[in-house]
Amino acid sequence: MKFKKNILCIGAGYVGGPTMSVIALKCPEYKINVVDINKNRIKEWNSDNLPVFEPSLMEVVKKVRGKNLFFSDDIKNGIKKADIIFVSVNTPIKTFGEGAGMASDLQYWEKTAQEIVKYSEKDKIIVEKSTLPVRTAQALERILKSNSKNIKFEVVSNPEFLSEGTAIKDLLEPERILVGSHRTKGGIKAAQEIIDIYTHWIPRKKIISTNLWSSELSKLVANAFLAQRISSINSISALCEKTDADITEISYAVGKDSRIGHKFLNAGVGFGGSCFKKDILNLVYIARSYGLEEVADYWEMIVKINQYQEKRFVHRIVKEMFNTISEKKIAVFGFAFKANTGDTRESPAIYITKKLLEERAFVSIYDPKAIDNAKIDLKGIDSKVKYEIDPYKAAKNSNAIAILTEWEEFKKLDFKKIYFSMKKPAFIFDGRNILNHKKLHEIGFNVYPLGKTALTHFK
Ligand code: NAD
Ligand code: UGA
């Protein structure tokens, strides 16, 4: 079959894989190649065991793989043939040198740009899909323009707003698509080509066009605002535990104001995921680099409250279990940073488990999808950790259960059976407020919900 256009995506990760699968599904006349330097990842994308767990992803991949969607490690040829290149490589926090711990590490991004220059033989549109610091496109253009082949590259920003666990739904029915470009004739034309991809299934009125810098910065700001809501409600959960106010009731009452809204007001053990922390710290770094100290301090507080929330959770476990958890068995239910994903990047469970181990507890971990990643995260410090594939086994003979991820299946567990298999007094710390606390208390548990009065049997 002759395809209308060749699209390449560099980076076959959580964003590149699902995003391109959905574009392939909705645009059968485009040929989509997804490439990665990680050969193993590409192998997995070509197998029945995809490297990313997302509900419905496998179904979509099966419909298009080998038809108009191809996964390969041949970056050179991919670049050569492409008319449009989406760059979706990782942009983690820099761990060395200037800006370490704050700024974006753009080495993967820059290497990609260099490769595009090296292998290109015709004009192309380069799409920033990765989340990038504002004005990255300028640096990118400088690299691209350094080519001596008289090739024209037009840079477009098209940040991704999908959430893990709902990636396919978010891609099929996004609330908006953002396309930023230069306001020149070439820039507008390039943006239109990207818009044309999305209008295959998304109404035009949902597609926002902005200048390049607004698009780049909007992505950082969107994540910062979402994280800000979580830190706001989490900070109030601490106050609830002191005052017998109830965080769920507060979220409901406050969220009923349509100016505030009810989403992203669930208090928990803290936000995780590969992006919130890195994107906020990046925003802080950018603000500071422009001398905007107050702006930087304001946003940095969101991350500090998140760390406080994780610390607070462990502190409460130790304090309530008579100030020692040494030699006690704690069952950790949920290691993923949120439900419906196996991803553990920046999961609060990593910090919490490490602290429990520092307090010399024995930890058993159960998670329906994230055990393999948990093993990687705790490698070298897990001599007192047991990874279980059965939640009942994880809880057996434990002194306490800590709920760290809001997996739906936890609600359906037989807590009577669990209670009778545990050491007494049995504790449960519901870091996500997903269980029926009254019922657990009736069974015999000492229940510590987050941001609510504890239900105990102690006199
Ligand atoms: P990821 O780590 O899962 O995937 C990135 C992939 O890029 C990796 O497989 C890596 O091997 C590959 N790569 C790196 N350098 C390369 C190179 N030079 N050539 C070819 N491949 C290369 O990352 P991700 O979660 O998909 O995130 C990608 C970007 O999207 C980040 O900027 C992130 O902030 C942003 N983002 C992520 C999400 C999310 O939910 N994960 C959502 C929106 C935006
Ligand atoms: C987030 C954003 O929601 C996406 O729009 C964005 O594209 C993405 O980051 C990104 O740039 O990577 P994601 O991290 O996948 O998506 O998941 P979220 O649903 O946002 O959850 C993030 C964290 O916040 C999780 O740990 C979750 O448990 C926590 N959270 C979320 C709460 O503690 N309370 C809430 O009310 C909502």
Side-chain angles (χ1 to χ4, degrees):
M1 172 175 175
K2 178 123 180 55
F3 292 102
K4 205 169 139 193
K5 256 187 194 12
N6 268 310
I7 295 178
L8 176 73
C9 176
I10 304 181
Y14 284 86
V15 170
T19 309
M20 292 303 127
S21 302
V22 168
I23 293 181
L25 182 75
K26 295 295 181 181
C27 308
E29 76 277 27
Y30 292 156
K31 183 177 179 184
I32 322 251
N33 280 308
V34 186
V35 292
D36 203 294
I37 37 169
N38 184 336
K39 290 190 164 92
N40 198 40
R41 243 188 181 178
I42 291 299
K43 226 191 221 165
E44 287 174 336
W45 277 111
N46 282 318
S47 77
D48 279 346
N49 187 22
L50 302 183
V52 168
F53 169 73
E54 275 296 335
S56 304
L57 174 61
M58 193 68 211
E59 286 95 304
V60 176
V61 169
K62 277 191 168 159
K63 279 186 190 155
V64 285
R65 196 171 52 190
K67 286 187 186 142
N68 67 330
L69 177 70
F70 302 89
F71 294 96
S72 142
D73 57 17
D74 187 354
I75 299 176
K76 183 178 165 184
N77 264 312
I79 292 174
K80 249 188 204 173
K81 290 182 190 149
D83 304 297
I84 299 170
I85 300 181
F86 284 83
V87 184
S88 186
V89 299
N90 37 330
T91 49
I93 296 175
K94 227 179 146 192
T95 52
F96 56 89
E98 206 171 306
M102 300 289 279
S104 254
D105 184 346
L106 295 176
Q107 59 168 313
Y108 306 99
W109 177 260
E110 190 182 332
K111 268 185 205 136
T112 312
Q114 301 286 9
E115 289 193 313
I116 293 175
V117 171
K118 192 166 154 196
Y119 299 126
S120 289
E121 292 174 355
K122 58 176 179 179
D123 295 355
K124 292 181 199 305
I125 298 171
I126 310 299
V127 186
E128 297 179 333
K129 195 58 158 164
S130 302
T131 303
L132 296 161
V134 57
R135 296 204 77 87
T136 300
Q138 191 177 42
L140 177 62
E141 280 166 348
R142 285 181 183 159
I143 297 170
L144 296 173
K145 276 185 187 149
S146 70
N147 81 84
S148 50
K149 304 182 213 165
N150 211 13
I151 297 173
K152 216 172 156 310
F153 296 101
E154 200 64 58
V155 177
V156 173
S157 160
N158 170 224
E160 184 49 59
F161 294 102
L162 68 79
S163 295
E164 287 179 35
T166 52
I168 298 301
K169 188 177 173 292
D170 296 343
L171 288 163
L172 289 171
E173 302 157 25
E175 290 193 333
R176 82 313 209 173
I177 293 289
L178 182 54
V179 180
S181 68
H182 285 306
R183 299 312 215 194
T184 55
K185 210 172 145 201
I188 291 165
K189 188 166 169 277
Q192 190 55 49
E193 285 215 35
I194 305 309
I195 292 169
D196 288 345
I197 297 175
Y198 289 108
T199 47
H200 278 70
W201 76 101
I202 297 161
R204 180 64 184 86
K205 61 176 189 295
K206 282 194 173 182
I207 302 176
I208 305 166
S209 309
T210 65
N211 79 30
L212 258 174
W213 322 123
S214 308
S215 175
E216 288 179 334
L217 189 53
S218 292
K219 174 63 198 177
L220 293 183
V221 173
N223 273 359
F225 271 56
L226 289 168
Q228 179 200 45
R229 285 175 69 90
I230 303 168
S231 276
S232 297
I233 202 71
N234 282 345
S235 73
I236 301 302
S237 73
L239 193 54
C240 285
E241 285 167 24
K242 300 279 182 204
T243 58
D244 286 340
D246 182 310
I247 199 66
T248 308
E249 292 176 353
I250 290 177
S251 292
Y252 184 76
V254 172
K256 271 288 169 194
D257 184 330
S258 65
R259 293 171 302 176
I260 297 171
H262 65 277
K263 290 183 183 165
F264 266 67
L265 284 183
N266 289 326
V269 283
F271 58 75
S274 62
C275 295
F276 278 179
K277 185 171 142 203
K278 94 168 158 67
D279 292 350
I280 296 173
L281 290 178
N282 190 219
L283 187 64
V284 170
Y285 182 76
I286 294 167
R288 254 191 241 299
S289 72
Y290 285 109
L292 305 171
E293 293 298 326
E294 287 80 357
V295 178
D297 290 347
Y298 175 76
W299 289 106
E300 195 166 20
M301 219 38 222
I302 311 302
V303 175
K304 287 188 178 159
I305 287 288
N306 200 50
Q307 289 160 345
Y308 165 74
Q309 188 74 350
E310 293 174 340
K311 240 190 236 168
R312 223 170 62 71
F313 187 74
V314 181
H315 177 73
R316 195 172 187 214
I317 294 179
V318 178
K319 185 176 145 265
E320 299 299 343
M321 293 180 75
F322 319 116
N323 287 312
T324 176
I325 54 168
S326 177
E327 309 277 300
K328 291 179 183 168
K329 178 178 169 182
I330 315 284
V332 163
F333 277 21
F335 207 84
F337 80 97
K338 64 183 282 196
N340 298 319
T341 176
D343 194 354
T344 59
R345 291 178 291 177
E346 297 293 339
S347 177
I350 301 173
Y351 171 86
I352 292 167
T353 306
K354 282 184 180 167
K355 285 289 161 196
L356 296 175
L357 292 171
E358 276 175 26
E359 293 288 340
R360 306 207 170 155
F362 296 107
V363 179
S364 57
I365 302 173
Y366 169 72
D367 187 290
K369 293 283 174 205
I371 287 295
D372 288 347
N373 280 331
K375 285 180 186 166
I376 297 168
D377 296 328
L378 300 174
K379 202 172 167 203
I381 54 161
D382 60 355
S383 60
K384 286 183 164 184
V385 176
K386 277 219 157 127
Y387 303 97
E388 301 286 4
I389 50 166
D390 174 2
Y392 297 99
K393 223 172 144 202
K396 197 172 172 192
N397 289 325
S398 69
N399 301 79
I401 296 172
I403 309 279
L404 303 189
T405 311
E406 69 283 19
W407 285 104
E408 208 42 43
E409 67 167 67
F410 294 161
K411 296 182 191 169
K412 297 176 193 136
L413 292 172
D414 181 348
F415 277 100
K416 242 188 202 156
K417 179 174 157 187
I418 288 177
Y419 176 74
F420 287 112
S421 77
M422 286 174 68
K423 292 209 175 112
K424 308 293 173 328
F427 293 80
I428 193 154
F429 296 88
D430 186 355
R432 296 289 187 170
N433 286 337
I434 52 165
L435 301 179
N436 184 332
H437 302 135
K438 197 165 158 273
K439 227 175 171 177
L440 290 172
H441 185 239
E442 280 162 16
I443 292 172
F445 282 102
N446 296 296
V447 189
Y448 296 84
L450 202 132
K452 296 169 190 272
T453 309
L455 303 170
T456 75
H457 296 281
F458 302 123
K459 299 275 176 278

